[in-house]
Amino acid sequence: MLSLSFDIFRISWSKPVSFYARRRLIIRPLTGKETNPVPGALRNVSRKVDFKVIKNGANFVKRKTRQIGGITEADIARRLRVSQSTVSIVLSGKWEKRISTQMAQKILRLADELDFRPNATARSLRIGATNAVLFLSPVISNPFFARVHTAIARAAAGHGISVIVYPVDSADDDGAPLFHAYHGVDGVIACSLDAPRAESFAGGRPLVLVDSNPATSHITVNANIAEGVEAAICHLAKNGARHIHHLAAAKTTWTFRERQDAVARACKRLGLTLTKVLTPPTMEKALAHAQHLITTGSPPFSFFCDNDPIAIGVYLAAQFDGLKIPQDISVIGMDDGEIGRLMKPPLTSIEINTDILGELAMKTMVDLLEKKPVTSHQIIAPLKVRGSVAGA
């Protein structure tokens, strides 16, 4: 007799002489004298057990047959007296022209009655796929990245694919990803990360880059940032701007380099002067930089901001200094998030359609996994004109 001690009960294990005889699990109160180790055999308890509960010296016997560890394909096969491979074919939906309709219906009906749930781990080992994709992005709390993730997850659900989110700063100290964060995924979608950083996570798996340098060997899904920025600077110039204050994100990734280069090219082409100030891409930090520019200059001001949070920092600076938008300060953002549209007046911003970016990224990943031909994508980035530019 082997026993296992818990705080309240001792579980005793008795193995019958006959291999096919029913095994018994007996739960008794502790006596304080239990010293037996945990039996290794207890980890392989038969799927059918009987319970005999003894409490306070009186016997309360309750016999019940139940499933331990969940129904498997082998259980269904035994009950219907068919091979496990037959059950597997039916449950995978590949039975037509291979298994009779009558047998398939029997298997499906029994699986439903027994509440069968496929073992994802076993399936992934068998077919060499996990049906999971890793989504990498900088801080996921940023509305832009959150919207991209939502679009990817929605598209993935239609293909039966799970999305694992792993936020990673593009400037992490040693650049070495944590293995457990991406082990066991079929592919990687990286948003606003440069290719070398994303490659360190992909480890040779299929990789799709979103909002990243198209001049790489990888498939990319981008918005036409340069075209959108050109339209924004032209809009400011058309409405009287002669000097542009560019609050640029203090980031080195391609997407922000592209924005900054595009601003410089547009200003040069239009004969505008330019002041570029680097700032962390947050409202709080942008507020301080905008206040400094406002207090050291005189209105009217024309601001172009690398994203909407920076632009909202300009709104706050104007409010604190008693200036009005757009009468004293014209401002344009980028990303066209919901919060900008709710500002008063609503923020003029360059739209980056995250729904389309996410859906295209997931579709491209699915095509890569299915070894179909794939190409990179570029979507338009139109300027959404609202009320934050004077004269518009």
Side-chain angles (χ1 to χ4, degrees), residues 47-318:
R47 291 187 175 278
K48 294 189 180 295
V49 297
D50 289 337
F51 295 96
K52 183 176 182 181
V53 182
I54 304 174
K55 185 178 181 182
N56 297 329
N59 288 355
F60 296 87
V61 179
K62 180 179 180 182
R63 294 187 177 274
K64 179 182 178 183
T65 300
R66 71 181 180 94
Q67 188 69 28
I68 293 180
I71 289 290
T72 67
E73 292 177 353
D75 297 324
I76 296 174
R78 279 195 297 270
R79 294 197 182 199
L80 295 177
R81 297 184 178 181
V82 298
S83 68
Q84 184 175 344
S85 62
T86 298
V87 174
S88 180
I89 291 170
V90 172
L91 295 180
S92 66
K94 301 176 181 178
W95 59 271
E96 292 186 7
K97 297 182 180 180
R98 302 172 68 184
I99 308 295
S100 71
T101 301
Q102 183 180 11
M103 176 55 68
Q105 289 176 344
K106 283 184 179 180
I107 292 172
L108 292 171
R109 185 164 50 248
L110 181 58
D112 183 62
E113 291 173 358
L114 297 177
D115 194 27
F116 171 76
R117 294 289 184 272
N119 187 316
T121 302
R123 181 179 182 276
S124 67
L125 290 173
R126 185 171 66 251
I127 68 175
T130 63
N131 279 350
V133 167
L134 179 66
F135 174 64
L136 297 172
S137 79
V139 187
I140 198 65
S141 59
N142 181 297
F144 175 79
F145 302 121
R147 295 197 305 272
V148 173
H149 164 251
T150 298
I152 288 174
R154 184 170 55 242
H159 296 280
I161 295 175
S162 301
V163 178
I164 301 170
V165 181
Y166 187 67
V168 51
D169 192 329
S170 59
D172 277 350
D173 46 16
D174 60 0
L178 296 176
F179 178 79
H180 68 78
Y182 64 86
H183 179 61
V185 297
D186 297 329
V188 174
I189 299 175
C191 183
S192 301
L193 297 176
D194 285 338
R197 188 79 177 102
E199 288 167 356
S200 67
F201 279 86
R205 297 173 179 84
L207 174 63
V208 175
L209 300 175
V210 180
D211 195 31
S212 188
N213 192 348
T216 70
S217 59
H218 299 288
I219 299 298
T220 58
V221 179
N222 287 321
N224 193 335
I225 291 174
E227 186 179 85
V229 171
E230 173 78 15
I233 302 302
C234 285
H235 183 65
L236 289 170
K238 184 179 72 173
N239 288 284
R242 293 294 173 262
H243 182 82
I244 304 297
H245 288 89
H246 181 193
L247 286 180
K251 295 285 185 178
T252 60
T253 51
W254 172 85
T255 184
F256 290 117
R257 296 195 307 270
E258 181 72 1
R259 297 171 200 208
Q260 293 162 28
D261 291 346
V263 170
R265 288 195 302 268
C267 286
K268 182 178 180 180
R269 187 181 68 79
L270 295 169
L272 306 178
T273 56
L274 173 65
T275 298
K276 183 173 82 169
V277 176
L278 294 176
T279 176
T282 64
M283 287 182 282
E284 296 84 357
K285 299 297 184 181
L287 166 60
H289 288 289
Q291 281 187 303
H292 175 74
L293 291 172
I294 290 170
T295 56
T296 57
S298 58
F301 298 96
S302 297
F303 281 87
F304 177 80
C305 304
D306 272 2
N307 66 11
D308 285 356
I310 294 176
I312 293 168
V314 176
Y315 270 73
L316 296 174

